[in-house]
Amino acid sequence: MNNKDNNPALHFDTIAIREGQVRTEFGAHGDPIFTTSSFVFKNAAEAAARFSGEQPGFVYSRFTNPTVAAFEQRLAALEGGEQCVAFASGMAAITAIFAAFLQQGDHVVCARNVFGTIPVLLTKYFGKFGVAITFVDLADQAAWEQAITAKTKLLFVETPSNPLGEVADIRRLAALAEKHGAKLVVDNCLCTPALQLPLALGAHMVVHSATKYLDGQGRCLGGAVIGNKTDMQEVLGYLRSAGAAMSPFNAWVFLKGLETLRLRMDAHSAGTLAVAHWLRVQPGIEQVFYAGLEDHPQHALAKKQQRAFGGVLSFRVRAQQKKDGEGRAAAWRFIDATQMLSITANLGDVRSTITHPASTTHGRLSPEDRARVGVSDNLVRVAVGLEDVADIQADLARGIAAL
Ligand SMILES: *Cc1c(COP(=O)(O)O)cnc(C)c1O
């Protein structure tokens, strides 16, 4: 079923369930998983035509597979993009964008507050090939404008950011990129298309770690890039050569995840807002960071740009004394006193998770860089799952009592 051609009026939930479905000759109602490495051709001429791209069709599962294609078609439709290319992980998808669109002497402006592995990838690996990088605070429009040069090819931002939930103005960044002949890439991992559509706001490409909310139950790694056909041909060309392909089994898990995406994102958002309001009036909690709170610095922008505020919040706990190491000790006491929340850095799961960013996800940053992105030693992050909110609050209350 190709909804875009046949029925342009279908709504988000319908696309999430029906788009890209493959019906085999057996009439199976569920989506089949095509576990095959290669595809058979009728004759040598057909093989040649498929390999050269003259004839559409499947060739080899490193770059073409029907189950993966179903996932790509569905996610492209949900993001409102022309085409999607799936990858083995979010980082593989991000690497593909850099490899496909950058060359020696090019420049990238990247938000300082992106997923921690991205600055390592850019500086340590792409830096080696002569790519220059400038990091800026995502909410500081003037900083983006100052950083951009004639050599800038990509602007890269994750919004909202993790763990502090800062929000970048996608429309303004897209206009800035456009003016300088650069492309804006938005990591839409924390909102997903259920809450935010960066392409409709002018972004040139969207990238996903499917590992998080697209799966939604913490089972599989995967990634995806969505954009126009011309750009996606470059990304697909890189995948064909570099090989970090999504497995058909994982694609099937993500297809199932997409079917409930909007319902889950609304439930994550409602639960997180309730926990944020509750947390901010508890003793021992200095500050709660969540764009859904009215006094968050980008609350108005988030409200305009997103349908809801997502499932990640963070907060600073009060240390008993102002001694060195006391902030971290208090945060660790809090985390260790919880009994239900899972101590793990993953997010986007039905299970709530709790983590200490300064010693885990942001542990490889220098203390100065951590301070610049606001990841203090007394900061705790919670990715709110879909358990009953009362039970999540009761568990967090154990942490508060341990402070
Ligand atoms: C997890 C994550 C990534 C990396 O994705 P993997 O699937 O772990 O490779 C990229 N961006 C964001 C925002 C993430 O949370």
Side-chain angles (χ1 to χ4, degrees):
M1 177 164 171
N2 191 334
N3 296 321
K4 264 196 297 238
D5 296 344
N6 302 335
N7 194 344
L10 290 180
H11 297 87
F12 190 92
D13 285 345
T14 310
I15 296 170
I17 290 167
R18 294 278 179 179
E19 179 73 37
Q21 253 193 330
V22 180
R23 188 72 42 83
T24 67
E25 58 181 295
F26 304 112
H29 193 207
D31 294 288
I33 312 178
F34 291 93
T35 54
T36 178
S37 41
S38 75
F39 298 83
V40 178
F41 311 109
K42 282 208 268 310
N43 49 46
E46 185 180 78
R50 290 268 185 91
F51 265 85
S52 71
E54 258 166 66
Q55 188 191 97
F58 298 100
V59 178
Y60 187 59
S61 286
R62 187 183 335 104
F63 51 102
T64 50
N65 175 279
T67 314
V68 177
F71 165 73
E72 290 171 332
Q73 194 180 326
R74 192 172 292 182
L75 183 57
L78 292 174
E79 286 283 1
E82 287 178 6
Q83 197 179 336
C84 167
V85 183
F87 287 87
S89 71
M91 285 316 302
I94 291 164
T95 303
I97 293 175
F98 296 152
F101 296 104
L102 296 174
Q103 62 181 41
Q104 190 179 25
D106 284 347
H107 177 239
V108 179
V109 188
C110 182
R112 188 172 283 121
N113 334 48
V114 290
F115 184 70
T117 312
I118 298 165
V120 180
L121 174 68
L122 277 172
T123 53
K124 186 162 177 200
Y125 297 100
F126 282 87
K128 213 161 61 164
F129 301 111
V131 171
I133 302 108
T134 305
F135 292 100
V136 296
D137 291 335
L138 88 168
D140 184 350
Q141 183 72 20
W144 288 93
E145 284 170 19
Q146 267 164 28
I148 203 162
T149 73
K151 295 192 164 159
T152 307
K153 290 285 156 56
L154 295 176
L155 273 59
F156 191 99
V157 71
E158 173 189 334
T159 180
S161 72
N162 171 21
L164 294 182
E166 298 145 292
V167 180
D169 191 327
I170 295 174
R171 221 183 260 287
R172 288 182 74 187
L173 288 182
L176 178 69
E178 199 66 42
K179 191 170 128 200
H180 289 83
K183 295 179 199 294
L184 173 67
V185 182
V186 175
D187 187 333
N188 202 22
C189 181
L190 265 71
C191 269
T192 82
L195 303 185
Q196 170 172 277
L197 295 169
L199 298 176
L201 298 168
H204 301 87
M205 275 176 270
V206 164
V207 69
H208 272 287
S209 167
T211 315
K212 314 293 167 51
Y213 292 104
L214 301 191
D215 174 343
Q217 298 185 45
R219 297 163 292 193
C220 287
L221 268 88
V225 184
I226 302 99
N228 68 37
K229 284 215 158 81
T230 314
D231 286 348
M232 291 311 99
Q233 280 316 298
E234 296 299 319
V235 170
L236 184 62
Y238 174 79
L239 171 67
R240 187 170 179 164
S241 304
M246 177 180 282
S247 96
F249 176 78
N250 288 13
W252 180 85
V253 171
F254 298 137
L255 276 169
K256 299 298 107 188
L258 289 179
E259 290 171 4
T260 57
L261 182 64
R262 208 256 326 143
L263 286 168
R264 287 186 289 104
M265 292 314 292
D266 284 355
H268 279 293
S269 300
T272 310
L273 190 62
V275 171
H277 278 298
W278 174 84
L279 258 180
R280 69 185 315 186
V281 295
Q282 301 305 307
I285 304 297
E286 280 183 354
Q287 196 178 356
V288 179
F289 300 92
Y290 186 58
L293 296 175
E294 268 148 37
D295 55 3
H296 184 283
Q298 292 102 37
H299 174 69
L301 174 61
K303 223 172 139 174
K304 195 172 78 177
Q305 185 167 279
Q306 304 169 199
R307 263 191 55 246
F309 306 100
V312 176
L313 63 76
S314 61
F315 52 91
R316 298 201 207 283
V317 296
R318 188 166 300 138
Q320 276 165 350
Q321 297 157 329
K322 283 272 172 251
K323 275 198 319 221
D324 256 13
E326 219 358 77
R328 170 167 138 165
W332 282 22
R333 268 200 307 279
F334 187 108
I335 291 168
D336 291 347
T338 61
Q339 292 172 9
M340 178 181 81
L341 301 191
S342 314
I343 304 176
T344 175
N346 200 34
L347 59 92
D349 198 314
V350 289
R351 295 171 184 81
S352 296
T353 67
I354 188 164
T355 185
H356 181 241
S359 59
T360 59
T361 49
H362 293 67
R364 282 190 292 175
L365 296 183
S366 67
E368 299 75 51
D369 284 345
R370 265 203 300 280
R372 291 185 82 163
V373 295
V375 175
S376 57
D377 281 349
N378 63 342
L379 186 78
V380 176
R381 188 199 77 187
V382 173
V384 176
L386 301 183
E387 305 97 335
D388 195 290
V389 169
D391 295 329
I392 297 169
Q393 288 169 347
D395 207 31
L396 291 171
R398 294 187 183 101
I400 292 162
L403 288 172

